[in-house]
Amino acid sequence: MPNVDYEKELNKEQLSAVKTIDGPLRIIAGAGSGKTRTLIYRVAWMLEHGIDPRNILLLTFTNKAADEMMSRAESMLDDRCGNVTACTFHSFCVLVLRRYADSIDMSKDFTIMGTPDVIEAIDRIKSKLGYNKLKGMPKGSAIAGYISKSINMKRPIEEFLHNGDRVRAEDYAEEIKKVAREYKSYKIERNLMDYDDLLYFTEKLLAESPIVRNMTESKYQYVMVDEYQDTNSLQENILLLLTRNHHNLCVVGDDYQSIYKFRGADVNNIIDFKKKIPEAHDVTLHRNYRSDQRILDLANNVMKDHANEGIYKEMNSGYDFGQMPQLIQVDSSYDERDQVFQIIQNALCNGFTRSDIAILERSSFSSNLIEAKLTQEGIPYTKAGGLKFMEKAHVQDILAFLKCIANPHNEIAFFRALKKYPAIGDTFAQRISELIIKSGYSGLVENPYKKRAFYPDMVALKGKLEEWQQMDFPQVMESVEKYYSALCERVINEMKLEDESRRDELLSENDSHSEDFNTLNIMAKEHRTLTGFLDKLTLEVNVPTADDDALHISTIHSAKGLEFPIVIILDCADGIFPRVTCENEHSEDDEEELRCFYVAMTRAKNQLYMIQPEYATRYGHMEQVALSHYLTGEEEYFELVDETGEGFLGTAVVF
């Protein structure tokens, strides 16, 4: 068996956590502090000191994380690690329920429902109850979310009825509660369990059956939990029940990185751990192995000055790469795009690769302009947390209508545009577009389809196209977008749907496209003519080829757990990132946003750039926005650079 030198390979705090085996233990593992390494070495230490691997339970939030930990542990020791039970909470619950469910008069052969199954079941229940006819009744996915939060957080469902798509969900409280009750019966009658049920019934089983609890606890005498800050009330109760007698519960996490409240996570689980278990040992991992100290100085002080809850920790790395975090102030989102592109170009000129760079956004549409620029320049990128801008169907639809204006014989553009109309499928769209090759707009009306339901639309479209051709380009953009949105709304309203809530969902989705249309408008302002605009998007666009060396664009939540040499945070302005303003400082929402900001900052290893536009589009309107209040008072920890600042835009900048 390999000889592991724990003293040499671990720092003082990590070693203390690894050697503390018996009794409850909370490991506060700050960003980049090597928590995964600590857990792996802890497993190794336990095995080397005679603990049976079958008595060890390691709970994670993804199967990938569990597999990676055990793979690394096995490479460090031997195949004994394969006998450690390493799995997700839900997988563990399935294991217990398959074995003992009959102890609480439940069948062991239940079927697990995936998320699509849950939504389908709730939609059917809504239809059965006649609620699909209620205009504004929340959609099935929203109701599923209310039910899930109610179960996970062990609170009445009424507390979670926030604004629906078009009507306040509170207005349908009684109906939603009725759906929830029917959904519960639906599952029981069909021997089904959703993800929340797995947690709920495992807790019930452990609480109501001392025999099962003792048998399970005797098997898993050492329990470790990764990312404890992301646990909910049910998960916490399961752990406390599972370790009631031996108390060998080790939890690892960082309250500063608790950003999943919307999923039911309760940051107080880790904050109040010692209040609930006073005898628990405490170890804090302060050493950061990821970031430049200047980045950590900013992150540390932002949390120290603005957090109203949590466990303050001073993270230190000792690394000094020579550059302070930079706050770049620009006039608008358009200027933000140019600054980001310049940062990328400078980094590439100074030896970094594209995959070294991450652009982080609070909302998935913030990077639209940047994505368009990267596509134009042929720079490959990946995007996590949303669709790529130019690949969105409604963006391609708008461009199709614009191409029809620019070229009355563009068969391909007409084919896409025509399919947006009611009663026109692929067949008729193809036939009409073929006629257009020969006769242009006249092909819309000079055809054998005068008796078809869609013919009046063709007559109207011909008129609109001829009207658009006479407009100035800026007017064309505005008019086409309004026409397209109205057409989509009409199509949605004319749909025959079994569940009317689906209609509200589609209408809401149609409304949400305004941010993307605004991006197209901003891009169009660079051009005097429609032809010039389309040429820019086609002739000068270099389609990126598949490349492992791709730049990263990600929402904050999708970037959690990752690290990059260079991080660019977009839209550091109140109301955008964070989504709240300083007037709401220390509210629950503000604390959650603050933790998101901390996660974003601490993804950076070498360089951190934060960009603040003075004017930004919010809800379709250009507004003046203020600097994120998290950065107010932190000026000594970052360098302020405006878009005209000397040295920043020059290629001579050395990173």
Side-chain angles (χ1 to χ4, degrees):
M1 184 174 65
N3 183 29
V4 181
D5 191 339
Y6 296 91
E7 303 282 344
K8 182 180 180 181
E9 298 173 24
L10 300 171
N11 65 38
K12 179 181 177 182
E13 289 77 22
Q14 290 173 332
L15 185 62
S16 174
V18 165
K19 290 184 175 182
T20 305
I21 300 301
D22 296 317
L25 171 65
R26 178 178 67 176
I27 304 173
I28 302 296
S33 62
K35 70 174 180 64
T36 300
R37 180 181 182 88
T38 302
L39 282 174
I40 293 168
Y41 275 76
R42 195 170 190 270
V43 170
W45 178 272
M46 294 166 73
L47 297 182
E48 286 198 299
H49 287 76
I51 293 175
D52 191 328
R54 294 170 296 183
N55 294 147
I56 301 173
L57 173 64
L58 173 60
L59 295 174
T60 65
F61 277 85
T62 66
N63 287 312
K64 181 181 178 182
D67 292 342
E68 287 180 355
M69 285 189 193
M70 289 303 98
S71 178
R72 288 174 59 181
E74 189 168 329
S75 66
M76 190 168 63
L77 287 180
D78 52 45
D79 58 7
R80 288 181 299 166
C81 299
N83 292 319
V84 173
T85 301
C87 60
T88 65
F89 272 95
H90 292 104
S91 296
F92 171 72
C93 291
V94 170
L95 185 68
V96 174
L97 290 170
R98 292 289 188 208
R99 186 175 297 172
Y100 301 118
D102 55 2
S103 299
I104 50 174
D105 297 323
M106 294 187 63
S107 172
K108 297 179 182 178
D109 61 350
F110 56 85
T111 299
I112 302 170
M113 304 172 72
T115 300
D117 300 327
V118 172
I119 296 172
E120 175 67 22
I122 291 174
D123 283 339
R124 291 189 179 189
I125 292 167
K126 283 176 61 187
S127 180
K128 177 185 175 182
L129 295 173
Y131 295 163
N132 57 338
K133 300 177 181 178
L134 298 176
K135 185 173 177 59
M137 177 76 175
K139 56 189 178 183
S141 58
I143 295 176
Y146 304 144
I147 295 172
S148 179
K149 285 184 179 179
S150 176
I151 294 172
N152 282 313
M153 301 178 73
K154 308 183 78 171
R155 287 155 56 188
I157 196 169
E158 299 93 319
E159 295 186 21
F160 305 98
L161 303 185
H162 305 299
N163 289 341
D165 292 331
R166 293 176 172 264
V167 177
R168 294 178 64 85
E170 292 93 328
D171 295 342
Y172 293 96
E174 293 304 316
E175 289 84 356
I176 292 171
K177 287 193 287 185
K178 175 73 171 180
V179 171
R181 291 193 296 270
E182 290 292 321
Y183 174 58
K184 183 178 180 180
S185 299
Y186 177 96
K187 292 182 291 182
I188 293 172
E189 291 169 0
R190 293 162 177 79
N191 198 25
L192 300 171
M193 284 197 194
D194 60 28
Y195 296 139
D196 301 315
D197 290 330
L198 297 176
L199 298 173
Y200 174 81
F201 286 111
T202 299
E203 182 201 36
K204 180 179 173 68
L205 179 62
L206 296 175
E208 296 182 2
S209 177
I211 295 175
V212 172
R213 184 177 65 250
N214 290 334
M215 291 177 65
T216 308
E217 187 177 19
S218 66
K219 176 174 176 59
Y220 302 112
Q221 297 179 21
Y222 298 89
V223 181
M224 292 184 286
V225 187
D226 191 20
E227 303 287 6
Y228 191 66
Q229 77 279 349
D230 295 333
T231 56
N232 58 40
S233 297
L234 274 177
Q235 290 163 331
E236 181 189 53
N237 286 343
I238 289 171
L239 293 168
L240 294 178
L241 287 165
L242 192 59
T243 59
R244 179 179 290 184
N245 293 320
H246 59 62
H247 306 298
N248 296 329
L249 173 62
C250 170
V251 302
V252 185
D254 181 9
D255 55 295
Y256 284 3
Q257 299 185 71
S258 178
I259 59 174
Y260 292 110
K261 179 185 174 185
F262 66 95
R263 294 181 185 172
D266 188 350
V267 67
N268 291 308
N269 287 354
I270 191 167
I271 293 175
D272 296 336
F273 187 79
K274 279 192 63 76
K275 290 182 181 178
K276 297 174 182 179
I277 310 176
E279 68 273 22
H281 299 281
D282 237 359
V283 176
T284 301
L285 306 183
H286 292 281
R287 175 64 190 269
N288 178 289
Y289 293 91
R290 174 185 301 158
S291 303
D292 184 290
Q293 186 59 50
R294 290 173 173 83
I295 296 171
L296 295 179
D297 287 343
L298 175 61
N300 288 336
N301 280 277
V302 164
M303 299 304 291
K304 179 181 178 182
D305 295 341
H306 298 277
N308 197 44
E309 62 181 13
I311 305 165
Y312 180 71
K313 56 199 75 71
E314 191 83 18
M315 300 302 299
N316 297 287
S317 70
Y319 302 141
D320 183 358
F321 302 116
Q323 179 176 304
M324 292 184 68
Q326 293 198 352
L327 172 65
I328 305 164
Q329 295 182 315
V330 298
D331 288 337
S332 67
S333 299
Y334 207 75
D335 299 307
E336 183 176 51
R337 179 205 68 173
D338 292 340
Q339 292 294 319
V340 169
F341 188 70
Q342 189 62 64
I343 294 171
I344 294 168
Q345 292 295 87
N346 285 350
L348 297 178
C349 288
N350 284 279
F352 290 99
T353 64
R354 291 186 293 262
S355 60
D356 289 333
I357 306 168
I359 300 170
L360 303 186
E361 56 187 348
R362 184 63 182 86
S363 301
S364 61
F365 57 78
S366 294
S367 62
N368 284 348
L369 282 171
I370 297 166
E371 291 180 56
K373 179 71 172 178
L374 294 174
T375 302
Q376 177 185 316
E377 298 293 338
I379 297 176
Y381 70 93
T382 61
K383 185 170 185 180
L387 289 174
K388 291 184 175 180
F389 176 68
M390 295 300 295
E391 295 175 356
K392 295 179 180 179
H394 53 276
V395 172
Q396 290 295 316
D397 289 343
I398 289 289
L399 293 178
F401 276 95
L402 293 174
K403 290 174 182 178
C404 292
I405 301 168
N407 180 359
H409 303 276
N410 191 329
E411 177 192 5
I412 296 174
F414 269 102
F415 178 74
R416 183 175 187 110
L418 291 172
K419 290 197 296 179
K420 298 304 298 182
Y421 291 86
I424 300 183
D426 286 0
T427 301
F428 284 121
Q430 184 62 49
R431 291 176 182 176
I432 296 172
S433 59
E434 288 173 354
L435 294 172
I436 287 169
I437 299 175
K438 301 176 181 179
S439 49
Y441 295 158
S442 297
L444 292 167
V445 296
E446 296 174 0
N447 56 51
Y449 307 121
K450 291 182 173 62
K451 295 183 179 180
R452 294 285 180 177
F454 59 75
Y455 187 77
D457 282 327
M458 299 299 95
V459 175
L461 176 60
K462 179 177 181 294
K464 289 300 295 185
L465 288 166
E466 292 171 342
E467 178 187 334
W468 286 332
Q469 280 196 320
Q470 304 305 312
M471 291 182 178
D472 293 333
F473 179 43
Q475 293 176 303
V476 171
M477 289 292 297
E478 182 180 357
S479 183
V480 169
E481 288 166 3
K482 287 182 178 179
Y483 178 85
Y484 174 78
S485 294
L487 174 61
C488 291
E489 185 170 346
R490 176 191 146 198
V491 170
I492 294 168
N493 283 323
E494 293 180 3
M495 286 181 176
K496 294 182 180 179
L497 300 172
E498 292 185 4
D499 185 356
E500 284 296 317
S501 67
R502 175 59 178 162
R503 196 181 313 279
D504 281 342
E505 179 181 356
L506 294 171
L507 288 168
S508 179
E509 183 179 320
N510 186 51
D511 290 344
S512 71
H513 296 162
S514 61
E515 292 290 349
D516 293 332
F517 296 157
N518 179 68
T519 298
L520 285 173
N521 279 319
I522 294 175
M523 295 166 63
K525 288 179 180 178
E526 285 191 325
H527 306 278
R528 295 180 180 179
T529 65
L530 172 59
T531 301
F533 175 61
L534 293 175
D535 285 350
K536 187 74 170 180
L537 292 180
T538 54
L539 185 61
E540 298 185 23
V541 166
N542 301 302
V543 179
T545 57
D547 194 337
D548 291 335
D549 181 23
L551 185 144
H552 304 271
I553 298 176
S554 176
T555 59
I556 310 300
H557 290 86
S558 297
K560 187 172 177 291
L562 304 178
E563 59 183 43
F564 305 92
I566 300 172
V567 167
I568 306 166
I569 306 176
L570 302 180
D571 296 330
C572 298
D574 275 2
I576 307 175
F577 190 20
R579 291 180 173 178
V580 297
T581 61
C582 58
E583 286 79 11
N584 296 310
E585 190 166 11
H586 301 319
S587 65
E588 285 190 14
D589 289 341
D590 183 62
E591 295 288 340
E592 183 88 355
E593 290 291 298
L594 177 61
R595 294 193 292 268
C596 280
F597 196 65
Y598 177 83
V599 168
M601 289 187 291
T602 55
R603 298 313 91 195
K605 298 170 66 176
N606 298 45
Q607 299 148 35
L608 173 64
Y609 298 93
M610 303 165 290
I611 305 183
Q612 181 228 334
E614 185 177 358
Y615 292 90
T617 302
R618 298 184 65 211
Y619 312 110
H621 303 286
M622 186 67 72
E623 297 179 4
Q624 189 171 15
V625 291
L627 175 66
S628 164
H629 60 276
Y630 304 146
L631 295 173
T632 302
E634 309 300 337
E635 289 79 3
E636 68 177 288
Y637 300 106
F638 59 78
E639 181 181 359
L640 178 61
V641 183
D642 63 30
E643 58 187 310
T644 62
E646 293 185 7
F648 175 72
L649 293 178
T651 57
V653 175
V654 178
F655 294 134

